[in-house]
Amino acid sequence: MTTAHDREGGYDCSFVADLLPDEQVSFGDSAAENHAGDWGTAEDEQVRPDVVVFPESTEDVSNIVAAAAERGVPVTPYAAGTGLSGGATPAQRGISLDTTRMNRVLEVRPDDLQVDVQPGMVGEDLNEALASYGLTLPSLPTSGDISTIGGMLSTDASGMNTVRYGKVGDWVLELEVVLADGSVVEVGSKAVKSSSGYNLKDLFVGSEGTLGIITRATMQLAGIPEQTRAGRAVFDSLDDATAAVHDAVQSGVDLAAIELLDDTTAKVANAYSDTDLPDKPLVFFEFHANHGVDEEVAFFEAVLESHGVERFEVAEDEAEMEELWAARHDLAYAVNEYDPDRIPVGPEDIVVPISAYPEIIRFAKEAASEAGFESFWFGHAGDGNVHGGILTPKDDPEAIERAREVTDRIFERTIELGGTITGEHGTGQHEKRAHMEREHGPVGLAMMRAVKQAIDPQGIINPGKVIPEEATGDEGPFR
């Protein structure tokens, strides 16, 4: 192996010019700046790659990675850049491998309810292409209109419909992956189940591009539901709203989506979207069915009434449904623009068992308040997912440190309740990495290191992500 690393100047990546046409390679400042991080990468954490490449086929990816491996050059996969944990940041410079030109539907098999798709395909674009067949990939996250299939699979993303349809990764049948030496492997199969060998497919789903680069996905599909209903409910207290969510899920209400917004989040949404949501805890909901949807909505309303719901509204038509959901869809933008003098510091996407949902919301809100901060909390309530943050003066290092201490307490409580530090955004290079051992234990974390070492012994595929670098020395046979 010839190492091309220069500590001051990064890596000599001139070799990629011999592998791809000129229009698929950029050494320019603009491309490097655009690929220095994702939405979750703070400005002082951005790292400019030495080169950006735009492969258009599996062969392109394989050739690039093989050549990089020969030279010990790191390769960081990049999709739409919409991640929130810094997973697309080229932490050690080298090559940023942008998959957005691999954006084609390769084959639709309606009789099997399957589609083969390249990783750079945006989720909603895929569903538009499937609509003529009466089919859909129903598990897209809220960001499905801007994020790609490959990016979603890399973080095992999920969204508002998870309560009914599960995660995006639950709909994967087969993956084609380029490994760290450039070799290509197919994992899983087009059969809907298999007991053959290790489940390698799910090893790559959620690995955040640290084990290989997905170049094709075979996804299971569903029919587009004939009936949809959506609405919102208003509560006087956050405890009433969270208890109602728990009761609805426990009662077996057939919800497609159920979202919680606390009073502060409602205020944030109003400021950005020019809506007139009451500054009270809100529950947004949606139902999908082929028959009997109105009866299910009535059942849901009865459950909420037992928890003192103040107002229960159902949209009259599709246009009203879209208007009703607009404020929820825009929250990612709303939070960033709410107060230019404050930044959100927080756990982002913790998840707990549904029975613990009221407790973790209460704990997070009270912990922030006791430390002197305003905070906002919302999320995919039906599967126990909490988004949120602590509004912190951005030019006050002491306040930011106190907010991070509160965040650490929230992470710790989440794990104590049987939850996870990240349900859909991934770990990336986020501060969540510091809690990986607390969640998985030293032996579990050592097993992850062993898997990484076995599949990527040089550590060149998306290095510096997910797994903390330092081992504790207490990992038994996996040390």
Side-chain angles (χ1 to χ4, degrees):
M1 179 189 75
T2 302
T3 301
H5 186 225
D6 177 333
R7 289 185 181 274
E8 296 300 322
Y11 290 83
D12 176 7
C13 295
S14 58
F15 64 92
V16 299
D18 298 325
L19 303 175
L20 296 172
D22 291 347
E23 63 271 17
Q24 292 177 237
V25 179
S26 178
F27 291 94
D29 290 340
S30 177
E33 184 174 339
N34 289 338
H35 291 75
D38 55 24
W39 280 10
T41 309
E43 189 172 348
D44 61 354
E45 295 176 336
Q46 293 185 359
V47 180
R48 289 160 60 106
D50 297 301
V51 65
V52 180
V53 297
F54 300 88
E56 297 181 0
S57 67
T58 300
E59 183 180 9
D60 285 349
V61 176
S62 175
N63 290 339
I64 293 163
V65 174
E70 290 176 3
R71 297 162 174 82
V73 175
V75 180
T76 301
Y78 186 98
T82 58
L84 295 174
S85 298
T89 304
Q92 296 181 15
R93 300 190 64 168
I95 299 170
S96 177
L97 189 145
D98 186 315
T99 61
T100 54
R101 295 190 189 180
M102 299 177 67
N103 60 359
R104 294 184 296 119
V105 173
L106 300 174
E107 184 181 5
V108 181
R109 294 181 293 280
D111 289 346
D112 291 323
L113 301 178
Q114 293 180 9
V115 62
D116 296 338
V117 62
Q118 289 183 308
M121 188 89 181
V122 171
E124 289 296 350
D125 291 345
L126 173 61
N127 273 346
E128 286 183 17
L130 295 170
S132 62
Y133 298 92
L135 298 174
T136 184
L137 178 61
S139 55
L140 295 182
T142 312
S143 61
D145 59 338
I146 54 175
S147 55
T148 66
I149 296 297
M152 296 174 200
L153 293 177
S154 291
T155 60
D156 201 5
S158 55
M160 292 189 291
N161 290 335
T162 303
V163 64
R164 173 165 183 166
Y165 298 110
K167 304 169 296 178
V168 177
D170 295 333
W171 293 73
V172 181
L173 294 171
E174 183 179 72
L175 295 174
E176 178 185 78
V177 182
V178 173
L179 301 178
D181 62 355
S183 59
V184 181
V185 63
E186 290 185 352
V187 291
S189 76
K190 293 181 176 63
V192 296
K193 64 179 183 179
S194 172
S195 299
S196 176
Y198 296 147
N199 188 348
L200 298 179
K201 173 196 66 172
D202 283 352
L203 185 62
F204 291 99
V205 174
S207 66
E208 302 184 50
T210 62
L211 300 180
I213 299 169
I214 295 170
T215 51
R216 173 183 57 78
T218 297
M219 308 297 296
Q220 186 77 49
L221 305 173
I224 297 173
E226 296 178 10
Q227 298 177 324
T228 59
R229 296 287 187 276
R232 69 183 178 214
V234 183
F235 290 84
D236 185 56
S237 76
L238 190 56
D239 281 347
D240 286 342
T242 56
V245 168
H246 173 224
D247 197 5
V249 174
Q250 191 178 50
S251 299
V253 179
D254 192 14
L255 290 149
I258 180 167
E259 299 284 306
L260 174 76
L261 279 65
D262 75 354
D263 53 346
T264 306
T265 307
K267 183 168 61 175
V268 169
N270 284 334
Y272 180 84
S273 302
D274 194 28
T275 50
D276 59 352
L277 299 175
D279 289 349
K280 290 189 172 185
L282 303 168
V283 171
F284 286 72
F285 56 87
E286 186 164 308
F287 290 84
H288 298 170
N290 291 326
H291 56 81
V293 70
D294 292 326
E295 290 83 353
E296 202 67 30
V297 173
F299 175 30
F300 178 59
E301 182 177 11
V303 173
L304 267 55
E305 285 176 347
S306 68
H307 293 277
V309 64
E310 286 191 358
R311 201 160 79 221
F312 186 88
E313 304 167 325
V314 179
E316 296 293 330
D317 52 38
E318 187 171 339
E320 191 175 336
M321 279 176 55
E322 291 179 2
E323 181 180 349
L324 183 150
W325 277 106
R328 172 61 185 91
H329 282 291
D330 290 341
L331 274 178
Y333 306 99
V335 166
N336 287 333
E337 297 191 18
Y338 176 61
D339 185 341
D341 296 324
R342 292 187 293 178
I343 57 172
V345 175
E348 291 183 11
D349 66 324
I350 54 176
V351 186
V352 294
I354 192 62
S355 63
Y357 198 70
E359 181 174 349
I360 195 62
I361 293 282
R362 187 184 311 113
F363 181 90
K365 193 85 171 175
E366 290 178 355
S369 179
E370 289 168 1
F373 295 105
E374 182 181 22
S375 64
F376 60 94
W377 304 97
F378 64 99
H380 314 313
D383 55 45
N385 198 175
V386 183
H387 298 312
I390 301 160
L391 291 168
T392 311
K394 67 179 182 180
D395 296 323
D396 186 341
E398 187 273 335
I400 291 173
E401 181 59 32
R402 283 192 296 115
R404 286 179 174 157
E405 290 173 359
V406 175
T407 296
D408 286 341
R409 290 177 57 202
I410 295 170
F411 280 136
E412 291 168 7
R413 187 61 183 142
T414 297
I415 295 168
E416 288 171 358
L417 292 170
T420 178
I421 58 175
T422 175
E424 54 188 34
H425 296 166
T427 307
Q429 59 181 15
H430 191 275
E431 62 195 48
K432 289 179 277 193
R433 294 171 76 201
H435 295 268
M436 287 284 284
E437 184 168 323
R438 180 184 295 274
E439 178 173 344
H440 300 284
V443 177
L445 203 57
M447 290 179 68
M448 294 183 195
R449 289 195 178 97
V451 170
K452 172 69 171 174
Q453 176 66 25
I455 297 177
D456 179 16
Q458 294 186 74
I460 66 167
I461 300 296
N462 207 6
K465 311 293 171 56
V466 183
I467 303 172
E469 279 82 6
E470 295 300 320
T472 64
D474 190 27
E475 296 87 2
F478 295 101
R479 184 165 55 237

